[in-house]
Every structure is written in C-alpha cells, then in structure tokens.
Amino acid sequence: MTTRRRRDKAATRAALLDAARLRFSRQGFDGVGVREIAADAGVDAALVFRYFGSKRELYAQAMRPEVPDVPHGGPDRPAGEIAADLLREVVLADRGPAGEHPLVAMLRSSGRADVREQLRVRICDEHLAGFAERLPGDDAALRAEMLGALLLGLGVMRSVVGSPALTGAGPARIEELFSAMAAPLTRDQ
Amino acid sequence: MTTRRRRDKAATRAALLDAARLRFSRQGFDGVGVREIAADAGVDAALVFRYFGSKRELYAQAMRPEVPDVPHGGPDRPAGEIAADLLREVVLADRGPAGEHPLVAMLRSSGRADVREQLRVRICDEHLAGFAERLPGDDAALRAEMLGALLLGLGVMRSVVGSPALTGAGPARIEELFSAMAAPLTRDQ
DNA sequence: GTCTATAGCTAGATAGAC
DNA sequence: GTCTATCTAGCTATAGAC
C-alpha cells in the first residue's frame, strides 16, 4: 500500500500501449473505444489524449514495432534461409495473447488509408526489399511479393480464418511444404 | 416523370444491398454507418431496419454470394486446373467498383466472431474441400489450405496492401509463378 | 500525474405521420 | 412503402479540479 505504482508516467504509457496493441489487434481500430483500452490499463481514458493526443496516434504507436522486425543476415545468406526465417517470424512464432503478427492484425483496420500505407511500407519496403535483392533475375520484386503473399496468407489462414489443418499441423511439415512452394521463386527465372 | 422508381420494395432492397456491399467491402463493418449506405441507395436509413432488421443482418446478406462461388468441374479434372481457376476467381478477376473478392474484403471485419466463422466456412468448406478431395496423400487438407493461403495472400497483397510489382504484373506471369508454387501441393507427398 | 465532468457529435434503432 | 422525428447510448476529445 506504499508503492502506489500510479503517478508513473512511463508505466502508464507502457500499460496503455500494451492494452491498445491487444485490443486493436483483436477488434480493429473502429472496434474498440479508448475507454476500453484505458480500463484494461487500469487508468482513465483522459490519459490517452494527454499522452498520445488522439486515438489514431495511439494506434500508430501501439502497432509500430519498437525494434526492426527481422534482419536478413549477411549479404551472401541464401534466399531460402531468409524465407524460412520470415515464415517463423510471421507465421509460426508464438505471439502471446495477441496470437498473430501485427501485420496480420492490421488487416482488420485496413479500411483506413493510413493503415494501408503502413502495411505497404512495412511489408514491401522493410520485409521484402532486402529479400528481393538476393533474388536473381529481372522480376525479383514480383517474386519477393509472391513470397510475401504466401506468408501473409498463411498468417491469415491460421489466426484469422482458423483453418483446421493449418492450425493443427506441426511446424516441421508446414516448413517443408513452404520451402517447396518458395523454391520456384528463388531460382533464376 | 411517370415511373417514380420509388415505392418499389424489391428495387429499394436491391439498391441497399448493392450500396452496403460496396461500403462494407471498402470500410469494414464498423467503418460505415447505415445512414451512409442508405444515402448511397437514395433512400432513408429507416428502411434498412424495416427490410433487414439490423445493420448486422444487412452485412450478412450483402456479403453472402447469391450464387455458389466456383464449381470445380468433373471429378477427374486435374487439381492444377482447379487451382488456376481459383486464382482467376479470387485474385485476377475484375471485381468492378469493389475491387476485391468478398472474402478478402471480409478480413476488414474479422474483428467480429460471426465474420470469422463465415470466412472459415466459405474458405475451408466451400472453396477448399472440393479441391482437397482431388489431392492424393494423407495430408490433402493441409495442402489445400496452403493453396488457399497463397490465394488469399495474393488477393490481400494486390488489393489491400497495393504491392507495386504484383499490382502491375501481367496475369500471365502471375499465373506462371502461381502454378510453379502450387505444383508441390498437388503431387503426392 | 490522474481523475471528474462534460461538451459535441454520431451511432443504431423505433414510432408514427403521410 | 417511405420519410420525419426522436430516443438512447456510445464515441472522441477537452477543461479544469485535485
């Protein structure tokens, strides 16, 4: 009863961001109110506006990864290995209570133009650009985006659609099939 | 000035359904109000509740396809051809003003449990089940769902993310790469 | 640093006039 | 068959007390 834990700006901010990430991921931008998020964080809704200015800005900060998502390793790393890394990160990784990669969750809010823009930048420019550089041939960008489509689709099928076989299958078998599908993309065309 | 076109229950219902399909697809369930939809249809918002009872029911009816989506052809049709048909239907087809397949659009409303359920039924049971029957091997369902993931991902990348290479590429090249990726799924494992 | 109170607006839904 | 008017409840956001 001595340490009140309130009156701590950093902790409150962090609690709001955590609660926002979870709620926004599950229900989409329009599906949640700031009151709900603040209640989850154990504080008042007015603090959302004090710390973030608007619900929109809270969304932006909550869904932005604090650390660059996945490094691609050295310049001579095989494309197939990078693809397998992306699979583990986007699809197979245990995501805690949210249960899905932020990029998959953001699809729920893709009615908003700014969210679509964020999706494009993060998927194409951050995740796939480095991958495309390692691909031979002249339509490397297209093949990189087709790999991105497979990754995104797998994430959606598992955590949004809840498709039974893909949800129940072991990671090893999924990795095996994924590698076979990705192989035609990494060869020179 | 004689045919007033109003006072026509069927036409009003249809106009509401069309407007709803477009708005819900673009903005998601929570991103639109019934007033907007009614205004698009040129009628009053009260008619939404008269004809459909609730916004939720309007969504359900607007996004439900009136005709079964895609037949798979005879029982001896090769799996590869069916896959190519699905690609054309889900990804490459011109969708008019909506611009994307309803199943892709429904991802924007997947914060709602009933929408997720609809997605699972239509993707897994209606689209993929018939495809899985034609695949050899014992994890046919898993491989069918991985094909579904690729299709859904391609639809998302093109019409939600707006990835540049996939959006600009010609259908022929996309079909070619898609077939190569799908091939490992249709062979016996 | 946090909360109460509330402004200002828009939402879904209903009743009843025409 | 359609619209006007309205109810109730929710929303984001702000002002100011503590």
Side-chain angles (χ1 to χ4, degrees):
Chain A
M1 57 202 67
T2 56
T3 55
R4 278 216 34 287
R5 186 187 311 263
R6 296 298 144 75
R7 311 254 153 204
D8 178 347
K9 173 168 174 169
T12 297
R13 248 188 81 101
L16 281 170
L17 283 173
D18 284 345
R21 187 156 31 244
L22 193 59
R23 287 277 186 183
F24 281 141
S25 292
R26 284 186 166 148
Q27 297 163 243
F29 182 86
D30 291 320
V32 212
V34 293
R35 286 176 175 85
E36 270 176 287
I37 293 167
D40 288 352
V43 297
D44 190 87
L47 297 184
V48 166
F49 302 98
R50 177 159 185 84
Y51 291 146
F52 302 96
S54 70
K55 178 187 178 182
R56 195 180 172 113
E57 184 58 27
L58 173 64
Y59 181 89
Q61 294 199 27
M63 303 304 269
R64 172 159 39 233
E66 54 292 325
V67 57
D69 260 319
V70 68
H72 287 157
D76 49 356
R77 191 164 153 73
E81 285 184 26
I82 301 173
D85 282 350
L86 289 170
L87 176 72
R88 279 185 279 270
E89 190 225 340
V90 176
V91 183
L92 302 175
D94 181 26
R95 287 274 153 195
E100 59 199 359
H101 194 279
L103 291 175
V104 173
M106 285 171 75
L107 293 176
R108 295 213 175 84
S109 307
S110 64
R112 309 180 74 84
D114 53 335
V115 173
R116 284 196 300 276
E117 170 71 7
Q118 266 290 311
L119 278 169
R120 197 188 52 70
V121 169
R122 285 174 61 181
I123 291 175
C124 297
D125 300 350
E126 294 175 17
H127 278 78
L128 295 181
F131 181 76
E133 285 171 11
R134 283 157 172 95
L135 295 178
D138 53 300
D139 60 354
L142 175 62
R143 280 175 283 136
E145 286 179 16
M146 291 201 68
L147 182 88
L150 178 56
L151 289 166
L152 208 52
L154 287 170
V156 168
M157 286 289 280
R158 272 172 72 102
S159 66
V160 180
V161 176
S163 60
L166 209 35
T167 310
R173 180 66 177 140
I174 296 178
E175 282 189 56
E176 190 180 8
L177 286 168
F178 172 81
S179 293
M181 294 176 78
L185 299 174
T186 59
R187 282 192 295 268
D188 199 345
Q189 304 283 318
Chain B
M1 58 200 62
T2 56
T3 55
R4 277 212 38 285
R5 186 189 310 267
R6 293 299 145 73
R7 309 253 154 205
D8 178 346
K9 174 167 172 167
T12 298
R13 248 189 81 102
L16 281 170
L17 283 173
D18 283 345
R21 187 157 31 244
L22 192 58
R23 286 276 188 185
F24 281 142
S25 291
R26 285 187 166 148
Q27 297 163 242
F29 181 85
D30 292 319
V32 213
V34 293
R35 286 175 173 83
E36 267 175 288
I37 294 168
D40 287 353
V43 298
D44 190 86
L47 297 183
V48 167
F49 303 99
R50 178 159 184 84
Y51 291 146
F52 302 97
S54 69
K55 177 186 179 183
R56 195 183 173 112
E57 183 59 26
L58 173 64
Y59 181 89
Q61 294 199 28
M63 303 303 269
R64 171 157 41 230
E66 52 294 324
V67 58
D69 260 320
V70 70
H72 287 158
D76 49 357
R77 190 164 154 75
E81 286 185 24
I82 301 174
D85 282 350
L86 289 170
L87 176 72
R88 279 186 278 271
E89 189 224 342
V90 176
V91 182
L92 301 176
D94 181 26
R95 288 274 152 196
E100 58 199 359
H101 194 280
L103 292 174
V104 173
M106 286 171 74
L107 293 175
R108 294 211 176 84
S109 307
S110 65
R112 307 181 75 85
D114 54 334
V115 173
R116 284 195 300 274
E117 170 70 8
Q118 267 288 310
L119 277 170
R120 197 188 51 72
V121 169
R122 286 173 61 182
I123 291 175
C124 298
D125 300 350
E126 293 174 17
H127 277 78
L128 296 180
F131 181 76
E133 283 170 12
R134 283 158 172 96
L135 294 179
D138 52 300
D139 61 355
L142 175 62
R143 280 175 286 136
E145 287 179 14
M146 291 200 65
L147 182 87
L150 178 56
L151 289 166
L152 209 52
L154 286 171
V156 168
M157 286 289 280
R158 272 171 73 101
S159 66
V160 180
V161 177
S163 59
L166 252 175
T167 310
R173 180 66 178 141
I174 295 179
E175 282 189 56
E176 191 180 7
L177 287 168
F178 171 80
S179 293
M181 293 176 80
L185 299 173
T186 60
R187 283 192 293 269
D188 198 345
Q189 306 284 319

